[in-house]
Amino acid sequence: MTNARNMPLREDRRLIEDFIPIREISVQAAREKSIRKGHISTLHLWWARRPLVAARAAVFAALVAAPETSQKRTALSKAMIDLCKWEAGEDTLKKARRQILEAQRDRLGLPSDTPLKDVPPPKVLDMFAGGGAIPLESLRLGCETYAVDLNPVAHIIQLCTLVYPQKYGKKLADEVEKWGNWVIEQVREEIGDLYPPIKVGEVAGKQSEQLSLLVSGKPKQLKLANELTSVAYLWTRTVKCPNPACGAQVPLVRQTWLCKKKDKYVALKTIPNHETKRVEFDVVESKTERGLGFDPAAGSSRGNSTCRHCGATLDVKYIKKEGVAGRINQQPMALVCTTTGEKGKTYLAGKQFDSYIPNESQLQERLSKLCEETKLTIPAEPLPEYGTLGFRVQPYGLLKWADLFTSRQLLALMTFAKWVRLAHQKMEQKGYEEELGKAITTYLGLMLNRVADRASTLCTYDPNPTASGVNHTFVRQALPMLWDFAEGCPTGITSGSASNSLPWILNVIKQEANCGEPAICKRGSSMALPIESESLDAVITDPPYFDSVPYADLSDFFYIWLKRSIGHLYPEHLSGQLTPKKNEAIMEPIRHDRDKKKAAKAYEDMMHQAFCEGSRVLKAEGMMVVVYAHKTTAGWSTLIDSLRRAGFTITEAWPLDTEMGTRLRATNSAALASSIFLVARKRKDGPVGDYATDVKPELSQIVRERVTTLMAEGVSGADLVIACIGAGLRAYTQYERVELPNGDELDANSFLSEVQKEVVEAVLTSVMQCDRRGVSLVDKPTQYYIMGRYEYGELAVEFDEANTLAKGVGVELDGVGGLTDSKLALVKKVKSTIQLNDYSDRGAFEGLGIQRTEGRQTFNVTPQGIGAAPTLIDVLHRLLWLADHKPSEIPMLLSLAQPDATQLRLVAQALAGRALTPEPGQETTTAQRTKEQAAIDTLLASWKRLVEDNLFTQSR
């Protein structure tokens, strides 16, 4: 018996194995990135956290039964679309919980009249819980939820997301607000003098003529009574000029923009002072960028800089040498302020407020006194070894975590840590229940971490008016070196301050206070789960992938502050020097004597063991859903093989684009689905699979059916290709071992190549509207061009991804004779990306599309070999160009090329077809069609006159 997908029905088939509305969920997941209030991403940073609506879709679809009819499928699809929205109301969530319990009742074999309140909820585990998105949505859907993570920072975040709000409710938010404000007031009283208000009268005497230019918005003269409040102190690192005859201090500033908006351009102009041997900065404003008279972006580049006094070049090697010797200093450039009673910002040059910068020796003295008083130490824990993924600061002499902060920043953060600890002591004195006091104080520790994220020397200043000013330390999942940085005011009220951070935390507590029962959060290794065997209904997880994110090393930034603020409350988690790394699943060569093969093997072994544990704790009919952060289809092999060897069969794969909705068109690069949901079941022991007789026939059937079904549902392009490849894995992973006819084992990487070939052929038969034989008659480069346009349109794509497609088609992308070779290359390669060249890029070359012979000596500019027939795409591109520019030469081209008219028209129609329009799934309009498609439309409209009649004439 089979269902609509021609798959054998299981007794317990789930919705996620049948259909999910991936396009609608992708839209909501991308939209969620712009939602802030109450979202868990605003509680505390965690890297690569999946959108909540995507996690909700995975949990719901994994626990609800697949529909028996198309009508029920339509209804369930609509229910999922309503459910997977940030604004989904309580009624929608109640309905989803009811559907999950009804399915659970059937699975448990309970009588149909059993009240749902008596049905044990499904047990769901996220074994790599990270920032808590998946377990939070499991809680929201009424499941008994388990969250496991090795990382102590992640574990603390999970407690504050999955346990404390659900346990204490709104009362917790009230208490955190009360004590958070208490801490802020105590810190402000102790170190408020470090960020003093600036009297306009005091700076007016220094440079009063500038004050009317410094206010963003309409120029106005500041009154002497005005008081300026600091928002961001802008600094540049400096080194001594290597020219012995000069010796000036050279600012390494990369750019000096302060404001960039229409009719308001403000930047710092560098002026060398030959007496002091230092560079001074002046604020310059203009209504146009050109009116500034200089380029604010003309600073250091890739670590190299130029002395403003003598013109000497400072290369990055010299700067590194100075850094190691401890001779990189810092100089104030500007101060960004707000003005009491005024809108906009005021900008002061460094020399105008230097007297407001605290004395370094006084800062050190106060820091030593605080450490002595509290018995805390500044974070002297070592940074990871240079070469660790994402870390680039060590060669410049930054070797300890404390090196990432100025003395003022260290004093501020240490003061916050002091008062967080004192707040807990005060709660104890007031008789707070122990666990409640611990929970409240934990959120105060997170508040300190939020402040720290915008209080390091790796924070930049964003001059755009819509930005918050001081950026996060972790704009990316890395810690690169910065030459100019912004220092905020943590005791103030602007972005990055504690006062600004506290409301974000409170919103999350309130949002999640009523989302279900507390989760069961365990800190431990996924390779040794503290859970009973065969006890769980589903494992839904987003594992660390290979070398993507160095979670443990990055999280040490926050660990050092948690240890100082709340470490006494969690000695079992926060007593180590840094986060544990030995059992972290990551491909990190540094931990294996810089041996990449050993590091890869270690990662594969850890993932395999983790999936074995997942298999152990799952019930026989349990469901495994693995969220795979997509890079390239070629990169799947490690994950797939780990799952297969752990005893899982991959039954489905769904691509979700969880990034911003404008990303694809805005960046000029192809943005493939950013997440793949791999669906797997525990495999029953069976015979060895023979590739030729068992696997390949089933693979072909799965892929052909999937292409047809998904195209009918409006899925196309890269999403369709990825989904088909994922679904094709079922034919392979259902066997513990797959053998080739010669008895050798077929490895996962080789099988992926086979799947890609099947997908290419299936897609081409659909796009070109012909059978397999018709596809085979079209040359391989033309096939690649059609598939490339189908998957990527006109956008650039990473070389590895494009090369995987090339292998599936059977062509060489790079190297001599490859598609990127020669002046008439079909594909343009720029660094690590490739992009297809269209007819306007190639068509003007006279030799294009003409068969090469010994008698023609201009073939060095053509891609065909001597005597080889020209490719159809070459003929088409030349034909399109001639139709635009020299239609009278078309007969000569066709006479020399002699293409098969039927095949040529098939290619033209495929490239003009709806499946290849820029916006798949939308109605095709003239505005949406590319330049090449518009040219093909014109050609097809005159096909008989321009092509067939000319070919017929020539043949006579």
Side-chain angles (χ1 to χ4, degrees):
M1 185 176 180
T2 60
N3 73 338
R5 288 191 179 280
N6 297 320
M7 279 183 56
L9 281 173
R10 338 175 33 119
E11 292 182 7
D12 178 29
R13 185 166 164 74
R14 313 283 175 87
L15 176 60
I16 201 168
E17 295 173 304
D18 179 81
F19 172 76
I20 59 174
I22 59 176
R23 191 163 297 283
E24 292 84 355
I25 295 172
S26 292
V27 169
Q28 291 300 320
R31 175 176 169 267
E32 188 183 315
K33 293 293 181 79
S34 63
I35 293 171
R36 303 285 291 162
K37 187 175 180 180
H39 196 282
I40 62 171
S41 63
T42 64
L43 177 69
H44 191 289
L45 173 67
W46 192 255
W47 303 270
R49 186 191 266 120
R50 297 299 142 207
L52 296 180
V53 295
R56 193 180 308 164
V59 175
F60 178 77
L63 297 174
V64 172
E68 302 93 351
T69 64
S70 59
Q71 291 84 355
K72 288 185 177 181
R73 180 179 292 112
T74 301
L76 263 178
S77 176
K78 183 179 184 304
M80 275 199 77
I81 293 170
D82 292 338
L83 175 66
C84 295
K85 294 178 181 177
W86 172 254
E87 303 87 349
E90 187 57 30
D91 289 343
T92 301
L93 290 168
K94 282 181 178 178
K95 179 182 176 182
R97 295 183 199 118
R98 185 172 65 250
Q99 289 173 300
I100 288 172
L101 286 175
E102 288 170 349
Q104 180 75 347
R105 181 173 59 191
D106 293 341
R107 279 192 293 272
L108 295 175
L110 299 175
S112 60
D113 60 352
T114 302
L116 293 182
K117 65 181 180 62
D118 295 332
V119 176
K123 295 181 179 181
V124 177
L125 163 69
D126 183 350
M127 59 201 293
F128 296 100
I134 293 171
L136 178 62
E137 292 308 315
S138 175
L139 285 183
R140 207 186 305 281
L141 293 174
C143 302
E144 183 178 316
T145 303
Y146 297 79
V148 174
D149 203 289
L150 179 65
N151 192 291
V153 177
H155 180 69
I156 298 298
I157 295 172
Q158 290 158 27
L159 292 175
C160 291
T161 306
L162 309 170
V163 177
Y164 295 147
Q166 296 77 9
K167 184 175 181 179
Y168 295 110
K170 187 179 182 299
K171 168 189 174 183
L172 178 61
D174 296 338
E175 291 289 346
V176 172
E177 182 176 22
K178 169 186 170 182
W179 287 100
N181 284 324
W182 183 84
V183 168
I184 292 168
E185 287 305 314
Q186 301 304 314
V187 172
R188 192 174 285 156
E189 185 174 333
E190 182 168 334
I191 62 166
D193 62 305
L194 299 181
Y195 309 92
I198 296 177
K199 305 294 184 181
V200 171
E202 295 178 9
V203 298
K206 299 181 180 182
Q207 200 164 349
S208 58
E209 70 275 10
Q210 272 203 351
L211 291 179
S212 62
L213 300 175
L214 303 179
V215 183
S216 63
K218 295 182 179 179
K220 59 179 71 175
Q221 183 68 41
L222 293 177
K223 299 176 182 178
L224 295 183
N226 280 133
E227 189 173 85
L228 306 179
T229 302
S230 58
V231 172
Y233 298 78
L234 307 187
W235 298 82
T236 176
R237 301 186 200 268
T238 66
V239 295
K240 188 177 181 180
C241 177
N243 179 2
C246 178
Q249 284 295 313
V250 181
L252 303 177
V253 58
R254 183 177 53 87
Q255 59 88 25
T256 63
W257 278 111
L258 296 175
C259 180
K260 292 175 71 174
K261 66 179 182 179
K262 185 180 180 183
D263 296 329
K264 185 70 178 182
Y265 294 90
V266 186
L268 291 169
K269 184 177 182 179
T270 58
I271 303 172
N273 185 323
H274 295 283
E275 292 183 7
T276 63
K277 291 292 185 178
R278 293 175 68 86
V279 167
E280 295 178 354
F281 296 91
D282 275 346
V283 177
V284 179
E285 179 181 348
S286 174
K287 287 189 175 183
T288 65
E289 187 171 341
R290 179 175 293 183
L292 291 172
F294 62 96
D295 181 6
S300 63
S301 176
R302 303 182 68 85
N304 300 310
S305 192
T306 303
C307 178
R308 271 70 165 183
H309 288 78
C310 70
T313 298
L314 289 73
D315 63 22
V316 71
K317 290 183 180 179
Y318 172 76
I319 295 171
K320 287 179 179 179
K321 181 181 177 181
E322 291 295 284
V324 170
R327 292 193 291 265
I328 292 182
N329 300 305
Q330 55 203 36
Q331 174 185 342
M333 294 192 299
L335 177 60
V336 183
C337 305
T338 55
T339 311
T340 306
E342 303 286 350
K343 292 183 178 180
K345 292 184 174 69
T346 301
Y347 305 98
L348 302 180
K351 61 185 177 182
Q352 294 178 278
F353 67 92
D354 51 8
S355 61
Y356 289 87
I357 302 294
N359 180 277
E360 179 67 20
S361 62
Q362 291 177 352
L363 287 173
Q364 289 295 331
E365 183 180 342
R366 289 173 66 171
L367 194 53
S368 297
K369 185 177 179 181
L370 185 146
C371 291
E372 183 179 346
E373 172 195 343
T374 60
K375 308 305 179 189
L376 296 173
T377 60
I378 63 170
E381 294 90 340
L383 284 164
E385 184 180 347
Y386 180 57
T388 298
L389 294 169
F391 286 78
R392 298 293 179 267
V393 299
Q394 298 92 330
Y396 302 94
L398 306 181
L399 303 176
K400 303 187 297 292
W401 284 101
D403 295 338
L404 303 186
F405 306 90
T406 66
S407 297
R408 178 163 57 174
Q409 288 171 333
L410 283 174
L411 180 56
L413 295 172
M414 292 288 287
T415 305
F416 270 105
K418 164 189 168 180
W419 284 104
V420 168
R421 294 170 73 95
L422 290 175
H424 183 256
Q425 288 183 20
K426 208 165 185 64
M427 289 178 220
E428 288 182 316
Q429 293 167 5
K430 288 179 174 290
Y432 273 63
E433 186 263 320
E434 183 179 352
E435 282 300 308
L436 175 60
K438 181 178 180 179
I440 296 167
T441 310
T442 304
Y443 287 101
L444 304 183
L446 296 193
M447 180 178 73
L448 166 54
N449 272 9
R450 281 185 55 100
V451 173
D453 187 24
R454 295 207 195 207
S456 79
T457 62
L458 300 182
C459 295
T460 57
Y461 181 76
D462 193 332
N464 294 306
T466 57
S468 59
V470 179
N471 281 325
H472 299 273
T473 297
F474 292 99
V475 174
R476 297 190 291 118
Q477 295 159 179
L479 288 177
M481 188 61 178
L482 290 183
W483 302 119
D484 45 285
F485 62 91
E487 181 184 7
C489 180
T491 60
I493 59 173
T494 55
S495 182
S497 68
S499 292
N500 181 268
S501 295
L502 184 57
W504 293 107
I505 293 172
L506 300 176
N507 287 336
V508 174
I509 298 173
K510 294 172 185 176
Q511 176 77 21
E512 307 308 339
N514 300 310
C515 77
E517 295 296 315
I520 300 160
C521 292
K522 303 281 188 181
R523 191 173 82 81
S525 172
S526 58
M527 294 181 285
L529 295 171
I531 296 172
E532 183 183 347
S533 297
E534 298 190 353
S535 61
L536 302 181
D537 295 279
V539 175
I540 303 174
T541 193
D542 178 10
Y545 182 69
F546 210 55
D547 60 353
S548 292
V549 183
Y551 290 100
D553 290 305
L554 292 177
S555 65
D556 283 339
F557 178 93
F558 296 114
Y559 179 87
I560 59 173
W561 295 115
L562 286 179
K563 185 167 67 169
R564 285 162 174 78
S565 61
I566 61 172
H568 61 295
L569 301 178
Y570 299 93
E572 71 276 32
H573 304 309
L574 300 172
S575 60
Q577 184 186 39
L578 293 166
T579 59
K581 303 185 175 60
K582 183 179 179 181
N583 291 321
E584 183 191 24
I586 185 172
M587 199 291 282
E588 176 53 271
I590 286 291
R591 300 179 194 171
H592 301 274
D593 300 321
R594 300 182 183 267
D595 189 317
K596 291 185 177 181
K597 290 184 178 179
K598 285 183 180 178
K601 180 66 165 55
Y603 169 80
E604 292 168 11
D605 290 344
M606 287 184 183
M607 291 304 300
H608 173 246
Q609 182 57 41
F611 288 139
C612 284
E613 276 290 272
S615 177
R616 178 184 66 79
V617 299
L618 271 177
K619 295 176 180 177
E621 290 298 316
M623 170 76 65
M624 169 77 85
V625 180
V626 178
V627 183
Y628 165 66
H630 176 68
K631 279 189 175 179
T632 68
T633 48
W636 291 24
S637 57
T638 298
L639 192 64
I640 291 163
D641 213 38
S642 296
L643 278 167
R644 183 179 65 90
R645 291 192 296 122
F648 285 101
T649 295
I650 296 173
T651 58
E652 289 293 344
W654 301 104
L656 291 179
D657 185 356
T658 57
E659 301 304 318
M660 297 299 289
T662 57
R663 176 180 60 122
L664 184 71
R665 299 293 167 217
T667 60
N668 294 322
S669 62
L672 307 186
S674 56
S675 298
I676 313 295
F677 284 29
L678 292 174
V679 184
R681 293 279 199 155
K682 293 174 75 169
R683 183 177 63 240
K684 294 180 175 61
D685 292 336
V688 172
D690 181 272
Y691 179 70
T693 60
D694 300 324
V695 177
K696 185 173 174 58
E698 184 176 357
L699 170 64
S700 299
Q701 182 181 357
I702 291 171
V703 169
R704 285 198 305 273
E705 187 279 328
R706 176 56 64 92
V707 168
T708 302
T709 304
L710 288 185
M711 277 190 164
E713 290 164 352
V715 181
S716 60
D719 283 356
L720 180 137
V721 172
I722 293 166
C724 291
I725 290 173
L729 296 173
R730 180 170 64 246
Y732 174 70
T733 56
Q734 65 184 309
Y735 299 102
E736 183 178 355
R737 176 184 172 90
V738 174
E739 292 184 351
L740 296 167
N742 64 2
D744 290 344
E745 182 176 8
L746 178 68
D747 62 71
N749 199 44
S750 299
F751 179 71
L752 279 169
S753 297
E754 294 300 312
V755 180
Q756 180 77 284
K757 292 175 184 176
E758 289 288 340
V759 172
V760 166
E761 190 172 78
V763 170
L764 284 173
T765 57
S766 182
V767 171
M768 297 176 65
Q769 297 182 346
C770 63
D771 57 18
R772 290 191 172 202
R773 184 176 180 278
V775 170
S776 68
L777 293 175
V778 173
D779 58 89
K780 295 294 185 181
T782 301
Q783 288 184 24
Y784 182 83
Y785 188 84
I786 295 172
M787 282 298 299
R789 286 292 183 218
Y790 180 78
E791 287 202 50
Y792 318 128
E794 294 189 300
L795 304 177
V797 65
E798 285 296 320
F799 177 83
D800 287 346
E801 183 68 30
N803 198 41
T804 301
L805 175 60
K807 289 178 181 177
V809 174
V811 294
E812 289 294 328
L813 189 58
D814 210 8
V816 179
L819 300 186
T820 59
D821 189 28
S822 88
K823 294 179 181 179
L824 294 185
L826 192 61
V827 177
K828 174 174 60 180
K829 183 180 179 184
V830 179
K831 295 183 179 179
S832 63
T833 64
I834 70 97
Q835 193 169 14
L836 295 173
N837 288 320
D838 70 6
Y839 83 100
S840 62
D841 299 316
R842 312 174 69 232
F845 290 91
E846 293 183 3
L848 187 68
I850 298 174
Q851 183 170 326
R852 291 169 59 176
T853 66
E854 292 290 354
R856 293 179 59 85
Q857 295 302 313
T858 59
F859 0 108
N860 62 318
V861 297
T862 69
Q864 289 85 39
I866 295 175
T871 65
L872 290 169
I873 191 60
D874 286 352
V875 176
L876 180 62
H877 276 172
R878 178 64 175 163
L879 183 59
L880 290 171
W881 190 89
L882 290 176
D884 277 356
H885 301 90
K886 298 180 179 180
S888 62
E889 295 185 17
I890 288 177
M892 180 61 70
L893 168 68
L894 296 174
S895 172
L896 294 171
Q898 285 296 305
D900 183 299
T902 302
Q903 293 173 23
L904 186 62
R905 185 166 188 173
L906 200 65
V907 171
Q909 289 172 331
L911 291 170
R914 175 174 298 212
L916 275 73
T917 54
E919 298 292 342
Q922 296 184 10
E923 182 178 352
T924 302
T925 65
T926 302
Q928 289 174 327
R929 298 185 70 69
T930 66
K931 180 181 179 180
E932 183 166 286
Q933 285 179 318
I936 293 175
D937 289 341
T938 302
L939 178 65
L940 289 173
S942 306
W943 187 265
K944 185 176 186 302
R945 177 174 58 83
L946 290 177
V947 179
E948 291 183 356
D949 286 352
N950 278 308
L951 277 173
F952 177 74
T953 301
Q954 296 298 333
S955 65
R956 293 183 61 181

